[in-house]
Amino acid sequence: MTDPVIDYADVQGTLLRGYRVDLARHFILSITNAAAMGQFILALVEGTNGLPSITTAKRSLPHRDVFVNLSFTCTGLAALGVAAGDLTTFDAAFQRGATSTTTAGIVGDTGSSAPANWIGGMSNGSQVHAVLSLWVDADPAQLESVSAQLRAAFAGACTELSAQDAEALPDNHVHFGYRDNIAQPTVIGAPPTKRSVPDDQPAVKTGEFLLGYANESGGTYQVTPAALSTNSSYAAFRLLQQDVAGFETFLQQYSAKAGIDVETLAAKVCGRWRNGNPLELFPDGPGTVLPSSQLNNFNYVNTADPGQDDTLGIKCPIGSHIRRNNPRNGAVVGTDSTHHRIVRRAMPYGPVYDPAKPDDTPRGLVGFFINASLTNQFEFLTSQWNNLSDFVKSATGPGGSADGNAVYNISGQDVFLGTNDPASSSFTLAAIGSKGSNNTTITGFDRMIVTRGSIYCFFPGIGGLRYLAGLN
């Protein structure tokens, strides 16, 4: 079967391309004048009135240094005039919205992460209508000048609830110290990029990331009207505050309890060393950083070479962050990992953490988690694989049951994204032994990341933006 032909000029760029930039600003908007908002949308689509045009997935020459994309909430689409009957065809999670108590329960936005505690106007889902995202190469002055143009243009159309800024850290690292942006799904039909590298994982069907194309289940996600269905997608916009000081304390305390060094524990809870090298390829130490073409080229189960098999998670724990979020060829309950992949477009925010001068300044990650079904991808991934440990199927390695079984070698929740509580949290470091008899389990730690805001977004295609612009 030939790859589907995607009209890249009709797809908002961030859905299929990552922007290699240092600065970003996400405007959280509430529509106050639908007709004026329609005019603003059209000006962005056409790049008129001195505004940068909406960035598409079509490669542009010369290279752009300003990138703009626009997405809407369900209440935002309603405010623009999309019929209530049409909105019922949208993803069920999108209709609920991020601030719904049902949604919060599913994804773990409870306690300190509950919507009532969110900042930047995001706690009131009824007033959050759109997210206007701006990325620029590296010039803070350019970020401010383009922001001023955008603010002048949307004045009278919507109210700015807040602006959430992001700034890349050196060498693509995040505040927890890990190299990031390594593993993204290969989307069938997507434009190749300089960062496209081969790996052992199957490419994922286009319909897992764009409406209107075949997905991994053999169906097609679509909505009405058709203008909004073509080349569109959903995303969870997340503002995630990282407790960096708390994580470093966790590493110090629990590495001693586990009888391993700090950096090994950091690698075990993530699945990669902080330099990005995967434990599957470097089980004994971080080593020299692999080239990009090899950083993501591994699997967990290897029946052809028993010496390379890690069904039991001895090298890379089954409960590690990267293994939970993409089990690859590991055996899991239900469908395989290709049915639940997401594209991540997130950047750090807040100042670099100085361990010599610990502080509680807010810092973390902000951006989009993109998928064609918030229900089957983002919410499934978060609720099932990050916050449960019973999704792993019974499986033994080459040595048989005497060496152990995968179901005994995972416990608790994702150390990073789980709703961990000292009364119930746990993380298993597996060892050879029947029924986990020789495993080491650490317990009693708190959550490392708190949600400070979330928005369920819909990215229309360019034709869809024109449709919305013409409703009033």
Side-chain angles (χ1 to χ4, degrees):
M1 181 181 296
T2 58
D3 290 350
V5 177
I6 303 172
D7 181 3
Y8 300 144
D10 191 49
V11 181
Q12 293 205 53
T14 196
L15 302 179
L16 296 180
R17 291 185 182 278
Y19 306 138
R20 302 181 68 179
V21 298
D22 289 336
L23 300 169
R25 176 167 289 163
H26 304 280
F27 300 92
I28 315 302
L29 305 176
S30 185
I31 298 170
T32 55
N33 185 317
M37 188 65 179
Q39 295 172 5
F40 175 64
I41 294 170
L42 188 60
L44 282 176
V45 169
E46 297 182 345
T48 55
N49 298 339
L51 297 178
S53 60
I54 293 286
T55 309
T56 72
K58 183 178 180 180
R59 187 175 296 280
S60 60
L61 293 174
H63 174 71
R64 295 179 62 145
D65 55 6
V66 173
F67 307 85
V68 177
N69 287 124
L70 180 62
S71 59
F72 300 92
T73 64
C74 190
T75 54
L77 293 178
L80 286 171
V82 177
D86 287 332
L87 290 175
T88 64
T89 68
F90 283 67
D91 184 272
F94 176 72
Q95 293 181 57
R96 289 196 311 270
T99 57
S100 157
T101 55
T102 299
T103 299
I106 290 172
V107 302
D109 284 339
T110 56
S112 56
S113 287
N117 299 319
W118 292 353
I119 64 174
M122 288 179 277
S123 62
N124 184 354
S126 64
Q127 71 175 350
V128 178
H129 294 153
V131 180
L132 174 64
S133 297
L134 167 66
W135 298 264
V136 304
D137 263 353
D139 185 356
Q142 185 180 43
L143 177 69
E144 296 304 330
S145 64
V146 178
S147 293
Q149 291 176 318
L150 292 170
R151 283 173 167 139
F154 64 61
C158 52
T159 298
E160 179 182 328
L161 302 178
S162 65
Q164 304 299 326
D165 286 4
E167 182 173 1
L169 298 181
D171 196 28
N172 259 333
H173 278 66
V174 296
H175 288 294
F176 281 160
Y178 299 92
R179 185 177 174 188
D180 197 27
N181 289 324
I182 294 173
Q184 297 277 17
T186 299
V187 182
I188 295 174
T193 68
K194 292 181 179 179
R195 299 182 68 184
S196 297
V197 295
D199 56 44
D200 282 344
Q201 300 174 86
V204 184
K205 290 187 177 179
T206 314
E208 294 295 313
F209 301 99
L210 288 180
L211 276 63
Y213 300 86
N215 58 37
E216 289 290 333
S217 299
T220 304
Y221 297 120
Q222 51 192 348
V223 301
T224 59
L228 292 180
S229 196
T230 305
N231 291 322
S232 57
S233 192
Y234 299 97
F237 176 81
R238 305 281 282 174
L239 181 65
L240 303 174
Q241 184 171 318
Q242 297 173 310
D243 181 4
V244 183
F247 180 59
E248 293 301 325
T249 299
F250 161 83
L251 292 178
Q252 293 289 339
Q253 293 179 350
Y254 285 87
S255 61
K257 292 180 180 180
I260 57 179
D261 65 83
V262 166
E263 288 307 312
T264 297
L265 180 58
K268 290 291 187 179
V269 298
C270 178
R272 294 183 186 272
W273 298 94
R274 292 211 248 201
N275 68 3
N277 282 346
L279 279 170
E280 286 300 328
L281 302 181
F282 285 80
D284 301 318
T288 302
V289 179
L290 290 170
S292 297
S293 60
Q294 298 176 35
L295 279 172
N296 200 34
N297 195 19
F298 63 90
N299 261 312
Y300 299 118
V301 178
N302 192 329
T303 56
D305 185 355
Q308 297 300 314
D309 182 82
D310 196 27
T311 296
L312 300 179
I314 306 301
K315 290 186 287 186
C316 179
I318 298 173
S320 67
H321 175 69
I322 69 167
R323 196 158 176 171
R324 280 181 177 272
N325 283 272
N326 180 13
R328 300 187 182 228
N329 66 341
V332 295
V333 175
T335 53
D336 59 31
S337 61
T338 57
H339 290 74
H340 307 291
R341 299 296 305 275
I342 58 174
V343 166
R344 296 175 299 115
R345 307 289 191 217
M347 291 174 60
Y349 72 88
V352 174
Y353 178 76
D354 182 357
K357 299 177 181 178
D359 65 84
D360 56 1
T361 302
R363 51 175 62 84
L365 286 170
V366 59
F368 296 100
F369 296 81
I370 297 165
N371 41 216
S373 171
L374 287 162
T375 301
N376 189 53
Q377 289 164 269
F378 176 74
E379 289 195 343
F380 177 93
L381 190 81
T382 305
S383 63
Q384 301 299 306
W385 292 352
N386 283 323
N387 279 322
L388 296 176
S389 60
D390 59 1
F391 64 89
V392 175
K393 281 186 177 180
S394 176
T396 57
S401 58
D403 283 353
N405 190 304
V407 295
Y408 297 104
N409 291 354
I410 178 175
S411 65
Q413 303 173 345
D414 187 345
V415 171
F416 295 138
L417 296 177
T419 59
N420 290 298
D421 182 279
S424 58
S425 59
S426 67
F427 178 78
T428 297
L429 297 159
I432 296 296
S434 177
K435 296 184 178 181
S437 56
N438 294 318
N439 291 350
T440 298
T441 300
I442 57 178
T443 62
F445 50 88
D446 212 334
R447 68 191 307 165
M448 303 296 169
I449 293 177
V450 173
T451 305
R452 301 295 284 142
S454 184
I455 303 169
Y456 278 178
C457 304
F458 178 75
F459 283 87
I462 301 304
L465 289 172
R466 290 185 181 276
Y467 170 84
L468 293 174
L471 285 178
N472 293 278

